[in-house]
Amino acid sequence: MGTHLWNRKHLLGMADLSREEIHAILDAAASLREVNRRDIKKVPTLRGKTVINLFYENSTRTRTSFELAGKRMSADVINMSVASSSVKKGETLYDTLATLQAMNPDLVVIRHPESGAQEFLARHLDASLVNAGDGRHEHPTQALLDLLTIHDNLPLLEQADFSGLIVAVCGDSLHSRVARSVALGLRTLGAEVRFVGPPGLLPPRAEEAFGVRVFHHLEQGLEGAHVVMALRLQLERMSVGFIPSVREYFAFWGLTKARLAVAAPNAIVMHPGPINRGVEIASEVADDGERSVILDQVANGLAVRMAVMYRLCGVGGGR
Ligand code: CP
């Protein structure tokens, strides 16, 4: 794994990652995957390093895979439970981070409901930070694992690289940090990205902001797509009625086998998870062993997070 393409202290988003930096992480992740297939799944790469996971929002995939990634590389990993911490006594995010920093961790992984929280902390604190999701803003490690999964499938999709690829990101992109991060990463690598969804669930001025094409009709957006990414309908972030009903949403926007017929031959189906079966995606699609790569995304998430830690902890680049 080369060290010359990665000189960052933090990973806050995909917006300013270059093509070379993205490929450096994908290459490192592809190499580190082998560790996860061994009988003894442990390497000494991060021995003596300390990683703190600090999640202010719920998570299964991201939190677990960061913990496992650190442990498989022999780091000391602390999962701080926000629910039983002094956050509940009113301690601010800044003071919580300053307190943790006083214990001299090498890396802090943070998920927070406020967009921009990690950027603020990175300006004021010394520790290396990884953004594990901030509000509706960015989720860079999810985008990187998505890019690795797509990269793995380029031969199946009969594509030499990302430049000829069409990716349809379907559903609630308005509330989705995944949609933003993955669109930014895919555009950097040269793919065509489509945001497909009802007008009320698309980010304002998406074309200019993310360089995507916008479609308000599902079948039109799916036509010829090599990759179809369904997004979770984020009902918990909706303060007003964005949709008439879940049943009606599925009727118009649910991903079914019949609707996928217009996509490219061998098109793959992705979802960042957690999935809402019968809302944005039918079980016949989510569980389709030919098309669905949803669990491959999860497996790649572990490798990508190992690669990110490796780069940021000063072993494969970083400070
Ligand atoms: N995709 C994702 O971030 O999943 P979790 O919320 O389970 O971490």
Side-chain angles (χ1 to χ4, degrees), residues 55 58-63 111 139 142 178 272-274 305:
F55 278 61
N58 295 338
S59 170
T60 297
R61 282 146 282 270
T62 313
R63 199 199 61 75
R111 173 172 287 187
H139 191 352
Q142 176 70 43
V178 175
R305 284 156 187 144

Side-chain angles (χ1 to χ4, degrees), residues 118-197:
Q118 289 85 337
E119 274 180 30
F120 165 77
L121 292 167
R123 281 200 301 274
H124 294 92
L125 296 168
D126 289 335
S128 278
L129 301 180
V130 178
N131 179 3
D134 63 323
R136 1 169 137 170
H137 180 225
E138 281 242 31
H139 191 352
T141 57
Q142 176 70 43
L144 289 164
L145 74 87
D146 291 338
L147 295 178
L148 180 60
T149 307
I150 295 170
H151 187 267
D152 289 341
N153 283 282
L154 287 177
L156 174 76
L157 300 170
E158 297 180 357
Q159 300 294 309
D161 56 30
F162 284 83
S163 63
L165 204 69
I166 301 173
V167 180
V169 179
C170 303
D172 181 7
S173 49
L174 176 66
H175 298 99
S176 176
R177 52 198 176 208
V178 175
R180 285 167 168 73
S181 288
V182 85
L184 291 167
L186 282 165
R187 294 296 298 131
T188 299
L189 297 184
E192 176 185 324
V193 182
R194 301 173 179 174
F195 277 2
V196 187

